[in-house]
Amino acid sequence: MNSLNKQQKIAVETVNGPILILAGAGSGKTRTLTQRIAYLIEHHHATSDNILAVTFTNKASNEMKERIVQLLKLKPGSEKVFLPWVGTFHAICVQILKRDGQEIGISRYFSIYDTTDQKDVVRKVLKKLNLNDKKTNPNAVLSMISSAKSELITPEAYKSMARGYFEQIVAEVYPIYQDMLGENSALDFDDLIMKTVELFQKNPKILEKYQNIFKFILIDEYQDTNNAQYVFSKLLADKNQNICVVGDDAQSIYSFRGANITNILSFEKDYPKAKIIKLEQNYRSTKKILEASNQIISKNPEQKKKVLWTENSDGEGIMIYEAMDEKDEAEWISQEVRQLILNNVSPSEIAVLYRTNAMSRNLEEALLTANVNYRIVGGVRFYNRAEVKDVLGYLRILFNPDDTVGLQRIINVPKRGVGAKTIEKFTLLANEQRKSLLKYLLDTQKTSPDELPKSLQDFARIVAKLIDLSSKQPVSELIEDVIEFTGYKAELQQTSEGETRLENIQELKSLAKKFDQLDYMTGLEKFLEEIALIESSYEATKDEEEHITLMTVHAAKGLEFEHVFIAGMEENLFPHANSKYDPQELAEERRLAYVAVTRAKKQVYVSHAESRMYFGSRNSNPVSRFIDDIPEQLLIYCNTFAEKKKDAFSGWSDVDEVDEFKPTTDISKGDLVKHEIFGVGEVVDIDNFVVLIRFSAGLKELALEYVRLEKI
């Protein structure tokens, strides 16, 4: 407790009633949360069983568990007894549905379908509806269904709301998709929360049971909650009102995922007796970085006002570089990065952020040329690698023989001559007997094997053996049995990349070992559960060589680096062009800029280009208004042109930029025009919306939609 500041102590020691902790960037919210949990237990306000702590990522929940163990000085092995309920929304809901889901018809042994499984189901539905999956994108359909579920919209309700051709297609797909999940005793990720809410709403006694269990509820990153998560939380908190939410509306940047900033902005309306505690002391950044970030976010009209401050040093100002084009920008960044590394800055403390992934190419090329090792956050996750998904497919059907989607992934892995027509034929026969395909194959293999082709006889025999072993073998050994008995290992050994792929399976076995001490079927269940709940964010293993990090600003949230580069700070890029006419989207872009700046501990570098090639055309955009928001005394210009640019485009407003700016349209070839930076020039050519002008500084291609020109 001695390590806490005054506001943090208040947050920890305020026990009863609703609490909103507004935790600014770098203000020590995780420390505050874990200390609060420890305080509740140590001072006998609650037992560990009575505390529910919800996070958004497995990484965050694991970190919280580790800190609680340290604070409570728990002995090794006692964590399961003394730790509170800590986990993601999805993980918590899995446990509730495992216990009580049968009340709404959910099997105790349900599978959790990942994105690949979901796509397979959607494709089957589209085929059933005689819709071409090349014309009707399964990803788009899934996205719409996911959005509906995050808003707790049922298939029936969606049908009544559907507008337009595509929504009407989704309205047809949605109910059949749900039926197919049910037939496979499966749920998708969105179902985990939606079905738990349904369970609570339809069964008041079960809701009351969990309200009595969870006397104290803590929710991290509350600004990122969607409607389903909001309703889930509110239902649980309604009885005792002991809900403590932690968040920062200034870092609400995930509306595209369904996050609803209204949840945190309206907390006092939901809980009129709520106590508001602001954590404004920042432990991460310098004073100048915080002043810059405060100025950027202050322009947002709807927010919970707070002003970050720090006892850290003043630090350096914000570095501004005006590049000629995207290549010049990338070269400058790469050289600055190289110089930092030569000055003994660890590469792991350097990040280059950008608004869109499309910007990474030039940066990569420049870094390669400068011989700077880098890593892009993204790529194929471990659990998305084919060999890993194949092994998991086998494990899933051993645990849940009704999992037809899992079955269809591996029924011909390794290749055993089972074609689509064969699968379709025996699926129809299975449906006639009201059995899953696998159960039909296993039963037929026992009673009438000659009714099956040899390929399916062999497959059924192998699976039957593996099912028997699954009740006798720990998970790690079962994985080895799967790749041996199926012939998968032998097949991989014959390929050029076989060694690498087998190494991935060995890594899967290593992960499974921590479940080996459990009862065999329980171990398998928990293993599959953990993997299914791993978040989609990619966490690469550390490279042999240290590297800098390249990522979008969205991906950077929650991270920190000594030195942060923010590339492409131009109007229509950052803020993004899509936000131009929508005040809410523009406000989110501003929050995104705030997040970008507050990732830095020591130094922020901002770059923008006079012209930039993207989407096949060269554009000239004004400097981002977010640079204009930063007070002049905080800026350090790396070239004189940038300073002129700053002066020329000062005065951006999130309120009046759309009304005041009117594109130049009344110019023709040969006209003399005046540009705010380049001065007077002659129009050489006009091609659609791009104008070529000869200035004293040379020829310039400018986008008429965005450039200010005065005809002379």
Side-chain angles (χ1 to χ4, degrees):
M1 291 288 284
N2 293 332
S3 63
L4 302 178
N5 63 40
K6 182 181 177 182
Q7 289 301 103
Q8 289 173 334
K9 283 183 179 177
I10 294 172
V12 167
E13 296 175 353
T14 304
V15 174
N16 295 309
I19 303 168
L20 170 60
I21 302 174
L22 291 170
S27 62
K29 69 176 179 68
T30 303
R31 180 167 70 241
T32 305
L33 266 179
T34 51
Q35 287 274 12
R36 177 175 170 82
I37 292 170
Y39 182 86
L40 289 170
I41 295 172
E42 288 182 325
H43 290 76
H44 310 295
H45 296 289
T47 63
S48 58
D49 285 345
N50 294 144
I51 300 172
L52 172 64
V54 187
T55 65
F56 268 83
T57 66
N58 290 312
K59 182 180 177 182
S61 64
N62 289 333
E63 184 182 349
M64 188 175 288
K65 288 175 185 176
E66 288 170 5
R67 292 197 185 192
I68 294 169
V69 167
Q70 291 172 0
L71 286 170
L72 296 177
K73 298 177 181 177
L74 298 179
K75 295 179 180 178
S78 64
E79 296 94 332
K80 291 183 180 180
V81 178
F82 295 104
L83 270 182
W85 287 57
V86 179
T88 64
F89 278 100
H90 295 103
I92 298 298
C93 288
V94 165
Q95 298 309 312
I96 293 171
L97 291 174
K98 291 279 185 182
R99 294 183 177 197
D100 296 295
Q102 293 178 32
E103 294 292 328
I104 54 172
I106 296 173
S107 166
R108 167 76 174 78
Y109 302 102
F110 63 83
S111 295
I112 304 171
Y113 278 7
D114 63 12
T115 304
T116 303
D117 301 324
Q118 291 174 259
K119 286 180 192 174
D120 288 343
V121 176
V122 168
R123 287 192 182 97
K124 288 182 174 67
V125 178
L126 293 174
K127 186 177 180 181
K128 189 173 183 178
L129 294 172
N130 294 316
L131 294 168
N132 190 330
D133 64 1
K134 292 182 179 178
K135 293 183 179 180
T136 306
N137 190 324
N139 288 330
V141 174
L142 271 177
S143 178
M144 295 290 282
I145 292 174
S146 178
S147 295
K149 290 183 178 183
S150 72
E151 293 294 326
L152 300 176
I153 299 171
T154 64
E156 296 76 19
Y158 190 91
K159 190 172 184 178
S160 66
M161 300 164 57
R163 299 289 182 272
Y165 176 72
F166 186 70
E167 285 190 7
Q168 288 173 359
I169 286 178
V170 175
E172 288 187 67
V173 173
Y174 189 2
I176 304 172
Y177 169 81
Q178 286 301 112
D179 289 343
M180 283 193 178
L181 290 182
E183 289 167 6
N184 287 279
S185 298
L187 301 176
D188 63 23
F189 277 92
D190 297 300
D191 280 332
L192 296 175
I193 302 174
M194 188 175 182
K195 291 294 182 182
T196 304
V197 170
E198 182 186 335
L199 174 67
F200 288 165
Q201 291 176 334
K202 289 184 175 179
N203 296 270
K205 288 185 178 179
I206 291 177
L207 172 60
E208 188 177 13
K209 179 178 80 171
Y210 285 100
Q211 288 175 333
N212 292 334
I213 293 173
F214 302 133
K215 290 184 168 55
F216 292 90
I217 299 167
L218 298 89
I219 302 174
D220 195 11
E221 305 287 5
Y222 193 66
Q223 78 280 347
D224 293 335
T225 53
N226 60 30
N227 187 53
Q229 292 159 341
Y230 163 80
V231 173
F232 168 80
S233 309
K234 198 164 188 313
L235 285 168
L236 281 178
D238 268 352
K239 182 177 181 179
N240 299 303
Q241 297 282 296
N242 291 329
I243 181 170
C244 173
V245 303
V246 184
D248 182 6
D249 59 292
Q251 297 185 70
S252 178
I253 59 174
Y254 295 131
S255 63
F256 65 95
R257 295 182 187 171
N260 188 351
I261 194 173
T262 305
N263 295 344
I264 192 168
L265 293 177
S266 302
F267 187 81
E268 298 103 309
K269 291 181 181 178
D270 291 328
Y271 304 95
K273 296 181 179 180
K275 183 169 185 176
I276 313 301
I277 302 168
K278 296 181 181 181
L279 304 185
E280 296 173 299
Q281 183 175 358
N282 176 283
Y283 295 92
R284 176 188 299 158
S285 307
T286 65
K287 288 177 181 173
K288 287 186 177 180
I289 289 173
L290 290 185
E291 189 176 348
S293 63
N294 284 333
Q295 289 297 322
I296 290 172
I297 201 62
S298 68
K299 299 291 180 67
N300 263 2
E302 193 175 11
Q303 59 174 297
K304 300 284 187 182
K305 290 285 185 182
K306 60 186 171 303
V307 179
L308 296 186
W309 62 275
T310 186
E311 293 178 350
N312 296 339
S313 66
D314 284 351
E316 298 292 327
I318 311 299
M319 303 284 286
I320 304 289
Y321 183 76
E322 166 86 49
M324 292 185 293
D325 55 27
E326 68 279 4
K327 290 186 178 179
D328 180 28
E329 176 185 54
E331 287 171 6
W332 176 76
I333 291 173
S334 66
Q335 291 306 317
E336 289 291 320
V337 167
R338 183 173 172 80
Q339 192 57 53
L340 286 171
I341 295 171
L342 290 172
N343 291 338
N344 295 318
V345 174
S346 170
S348 63
E349 289 290 349
I350 303 171
V352 183
L353 310 183
Y354 35 80
R355 177 63 181 83
T356 62
N357 275 308
M359 291 183 61
S360 72
R361 184 178 64 84
N362 287 298
L363 291 165
E364 288 186 75
E365 290 179 2
L367 290 167
L368 285 168
T369 302
N371 198 29
V372 174
N373 192 33
Y374 67 90
R375 174 175 68 93
I376 294 182
V377 172
V380 180
R381 293 173 56 228
F382 177 79
Y383 296 106
N384 282 342
R385 294 170 188 169
E387 60 275 11
V388 174
K389 289 191 75 69
D390 289 340
V391 173
L392 291 174
Y394 273 103
L395 295 180
R396 280 170 43 185
I397 67 166
L398 301 182
F399 176 71
N400 176 14
D402 290 329
D403 187 350
T404 302
V405 171
L407 173 67
Q408 292 189 353
R409 177 179 180 87
I410 52 82
I411 196 168
N412 203 37
V413 176
K415 294 192 184 300
R416 50 175 65 91
V418 181
K421 288 185 178 179
T422 301
I423 295 171
E424 187 175 355
K425 173 186 173 182
F426 286 96
T427 299
L428 288 171
L429 291 171
N431 290 340
E432 288 174 4
Q433 296 189 20
R434 297 184 179 278
K435 294 180 179 178
S436 70
L437 177 56
L438 181 56
K439 284 182 177 176
Y440 175 84
L441 294 177
L442 292 171
D443 290 345
T444 306
Q445 172 61 25
K446 281 184 184 177
T447 58
S448 313
D450 291 341
E451 293 181 8
L452 300 176
K454 188 175 184 306
S455 58
L456 289 181
Q457 289 181 37
D458 293 341
F459 175 74
R461 206 163 29 244
I462 290 167
V463 173
K465 184 178 179 75
L466 290 170
I467 289 175
D468 180 57
L469 289 171
S470 68
S471 64
K472 303 174 182 177
Q473 298 268 56
V475 185
S476 64
E477 292 181 26
L478 188 61
I479 291 172
E480 188 65 34
D481 290 335
V482 165
I483 63 173
E484 286 282 357
F485 294 139
T486 61
Y488 194 55
K489 184 177 183 178
E491 184 180 79
L492 289 181
Q493 287 172 333
Q494 296 173 8
T495 64
S496 58
E497 71 276 19
E499 184 176 349
T500 301
R501 297 180 69 183
L502 284 169
E503 285 175 357
N504 289 330
I505 295 173
Q506 290 302 315
E507 182 61 24
L508 190 68
K509 283 178 62 180
S510 299
L511 179 67
K513 282 187 178 296
K514 74 176 188 177
F515 299 92
D516 282 358
Q517 75 277 12
L518 300 174
D519 172 74
Y520 300 138
M521 288 304 293
T522 303
L524 178 57
E525 178 183 7
K526 295 296 181 185
F527 176 64
L528 292 172
E529 219 173 79
E530 176 160 310
I531 290 172
L533 292 168
I534 291 174
E535 299 294 318
S536 60
S537 59
Y538 174 70
E539 295 180 29
T541 56
K542 187 175 177 68
D543 295 338
E544 290 183 8
E545 295 180 61
E546 282 197 296
H547 52 256
I548 72 164
T549 302
L550 274 61
M551 68 182 101
T552 64
V553 182
H554 282 101
K557 186 173 176 292
L559 304 177
E560 61 181 32
F561 305 87
E562 287 183 0
H563 299 265
V564 172
F565 293 79
I566 309 170
M569 288 290 277
E570 302 145 29
E571 293 292 309
N572 302 303
L573 195 58
F574 197 0
H576 197 279
N578 292 344
S579 68
K580 215 171 162 181
Y581 302 109
D582 189 326
Q584 290 185 343
E585 288 188 14
L586 191 56
E588 181 151 326
E589 290 290 303
R590 184 171 290 283
R591 295 194 293 270
L592 199 59
Y594 173 83
V595 167
V597 173
T598 55
R599 297 312 92 199
K601 293 187 279 188
K602 289 185 177 181
Q603 185 71 65
V604 176
Y605 309 76
V606 175
S607 60
H608 57 100
E610 168 54 27
S611 71
R612 185 180 303 275
M613 178 72 75
Y614 58 97
F615 301 124
S617 63
R618 183 160 295 279
N619 295 272
S620 180
N621 294 324
V623 61
S624 171
R625 70 194 67 203
F626 304 143
I627 295 178
D628 185 55
D629 291 334
I630 303 172
E632 186 72 24
Q633 65 269 23
L634 296 179
L635 303 178
I636 301 173
Y637 295 102
C638 299
N639 52 350
T640 56
F641 191 57
E643 191 167 1
K644 292 179 182 177
K645 189 78 168 181
K646 163 76 177 175
D647 293 338
F649 290 104
S650 62
W652 279 109
S653 166
D654 289 357
V655 177
D656 62 13
E657 82 284 357
V658 173
D659 296 326
E660 288 189 1
F661 176 66
K662 294 180 180 179
T664 307
T665 57
D666 62 340
I667 60 172
S668 306
K669 187 175 178 181
D671 286 347
L672 291 178
V673 295
K674 186 177 180 181
H675 186 271
E676 293 148 301
I677 297 297
F678 305 117
V680 177
E682 180 186 357
V683 177
V684 177
D685 193 20
I686 300 177
D687 181 15
N688 292 324
F689 299 104
V690 177
V691 60
L692 183 65
I693 305 174
R694 183 181 288 111
F695 296 100
S696 59
L699 286 171
K700 300 289 182 181
E701 279 186 325
L702 304 173
L704 284 171
E705 186 179 358
Y706 308 120
V707 70
R708 289 172 169 85
L709 295 173
E710 179 185 347
K711 188 175 178 180
I712 299 175

